[in-house]
Amino acid sequence: MSILLALAIVGCIKDEAGETGNSTDTNPIGVDTGSEGESGPYSAVLTGVVKVELYDIDADGERVEIDEATLSSFPFGKVWVTASNPEDGSIGSDTIKTPTLGGDTYSVDVELDEAGSVTLYAQLDRYVDGVLGSNDPIGTYPSSVTISASETLSSLNITIDAYFDIDGSDGGGGGGGGGCTSAAISGDALITRSYGGGDVAVMLMGTDGEGPWNVDWVNPTSSGSGASAAYSINSCLNSEYDLIGAWDSDGDDLITPADTWGSYIEATDVDGNPVSVGSDQSGMDIQIPLGGSPFGAFPFVSIAGEISVRDAAFGDYPENSSVHVAALKYRPNGDLSMEELKELAYGVQSYDWDEINAESVLPYNLTVPAGTIVYLWAFVDADDDGMINGPKEPVASADGSSGKLPTGSADITQNLELGAYTPDE
């Protein structure tokens, strides 16, 4: 039986969650703390507002913005905000435990030994299971945040786009069995290092890294050198899962990549996954720590390449032209202001006239969420009016059409070729 069939027993639905939204403000405000000229290490504070914007899907399959005034309360779980990099994963975070419809302020403390850049993102517990899983939506600040002093960087606003079935038209989800016979998996979750409190989430994951499909929260009892708790979780017969556990070791009541993860063991320190379920199974102990988050410590990939001009160079464009490359949530339609572009973007990289007029190619590198879909486009603002995608202004897309580009778990190389500028005669 497939993992998809397992969804019926645990009541978890795959839908359009997992989309990523972005802030319109890509110019953080630095607050001087008297650190000018200092060398590392640096202690920076990143602040802003994180807001969840809700949408539904209409009969034509198009997104429809939901008027917040029609809702009496925030419909989802917690929001986690983190500064992260590929080497270390999360290096500072803040958890919004009771988000509001209007958005909430956050503050993330970051320590760097030397100057560098971080990716700032937020993730919503859309399924309200206490675990940030593969289908929980992410929002990013659309450019890297550079830290080169001990200072406060403010106005780093983040938007998360989240699907919400406001009228119940998608069927309400789950239920029905669908031929899936339930089986129980039980055992002990064993924390094998010093324990100072915090619950454990035991979960079933698809062997493809999707999920979690079911979660059982338990409260361990300290044993002096560690802690343990019995668990029992439902699964589907004749299915295969990864059986894992995570300890809320930072005490924020949410399982994130920054927590302490473990796996089902055949013997001490021996990962026994995947688990094939042929009947009720007991004695399925989980060791924590063992391994890391199945969602990755840095759930992003890069899209990189070169932008060029077909049979020409950038200097052939009108003086003061600028070039912008963006990974977007939707296919662009009609004229766009730069503010609108940033609202639509997972990430934007821009080049002004001084950076392009002597070049034949422009290298670019965008950081985007893994496991989603982006629309990769490059634009030229040829008349220097702050608007792009006009009737005569050159554009380029990843596939020469919609620009649709799936992101998996590996970095992507994609070159873009712009056309020549052909003004009205």
Side-chain angles (χ1 to χ4, degrees), residues 2 6 19 56 59 66 80 98 160 185-186 196 223 260 280 317 336 349 394 421:
S2 70
E19 297 290 345
D56 202 351
I66 294 174
W80 188 62
T98 54
I160 304 173
I185 299 175
S186 61
S223 61
T260 306
D280 290 349
Y317 287 141
L336 290 171
Q349 195 166 346
Y421 179 58

Side-chain angles (χ1 to χ4, degrees), residues 129-131 188-191 195 197-203 215-221 227-231 244-249 255 260-262 286-288:
D129 58 8
V131 178
D188 290 328
L190 308 170
I191 297 175
Y195 175 75
D199 290 345
V200 167
V202 175
M203 62 196 88
V215 180
D216 181 39
W217 281 89
V218 294
N219 180 243
T221 299
S228 65
Y231 77 88
I244 62 176
W247 167 31
D248 181 23
S249 50
I255 297 300
T260 306
W261 293 76
I286 295 170
Q287 179 181 318
I288 305 172

Side-chain angles (χ1 to χ4, degrees), residues 75-276:
F76 299 127
K78 300 176 179 65
V79 172
W80 188 62
V81 186
T82 183
S84 185
N85 63 37
E87 293 77 26
D88 306 308
S90 174
I91 55 175
S93 66
D94 189 15
T95 300
I96 311 300
K97 294 188 176 183
T98 54
T100 61
L101 291 168
D104 305 277
T105 59
Y106 72 86
S107 180
V108 174
D109 295 330
V110 176
E111 301 281 342
L112 291 181
D113 290 334
E114 57 187 26
S117 296
V118 298
T119 295
L120 185 62
Y121 75 93
Q123 190 166 12
L124 168 68
D125 179 17
R126 183 184 178 277
Y127 292 98
V128 201
D129 58 8
V131 178
L132 295 183
S134 63
N135 292 313
D136 286 317
I138 289 176
T140 65
Y141 185 74
S143 60
S144 296
V145 178
T146 299
I147 298 170
S148 58
S150 293
E151 61 184 351
T152 297
L153 297 175
S154 60
S155 297
L156 300 169
N157 301 327
I158 303 170
T159 300
I160 304 173
D161 290 317
Y163 169 70
F164 180 56
D165 180 28
I166 194 168
D167 59 5
S169 60
D170 73 356
C180 174
T181 302
S182 178
I185 299 175
S186 61
D188 290 328
L190 308 170
I191 297 175
T192 59
R193 75 179 198 192
S194 179
Y195 175 75
D199 290 345
V200 167
V202 175
M203 62 196 88
L204 295 174
M205 295 286 300
T207 55
D208 58 358
E210 293 288 304
W213 302 140
N214 205 1
V215 180
D216 181 39
W217 281 89
V218 294
N219 180 243
T221 299
S222 176
S223 61
S225 59
S228 65
Y231 77 88
S232 181
I233 193 167
N234 285 332
S235 65
C236 279
L237 283 174
N238 304 316
S239 297
E240 191 172 66
Y241 304 93
D242 284 338
L243 174 61
I244 62 176
W247 167 31
D248 181 23
S249 50
D250 58 11
D252 65 354
D253 301 323
L254 188 67
I255 297 300
T256 75
D259 284 311
T260 306
W261 293 76
S263 296
Y264 159 66
I265 53 172
E266 294 179 333
T268 301
D269 298 329
V270 179
D271 190 330
N273 283 312
V275 173
S276 296

Side-chain angles (χ1 to χ4, degrees), residues 370-396:
T372 189
I373 290 174
V374 304
Y375 294 83
L376 182 67
W377 284 71
F379 307 89
V380 179
D381 181 4
D383 53 12
D384 193 28
D385 65 351
M387 302 291 292
I388 58 174
N389 207 33
K392 295 293 184 179
E393 291 183 312
V395 298

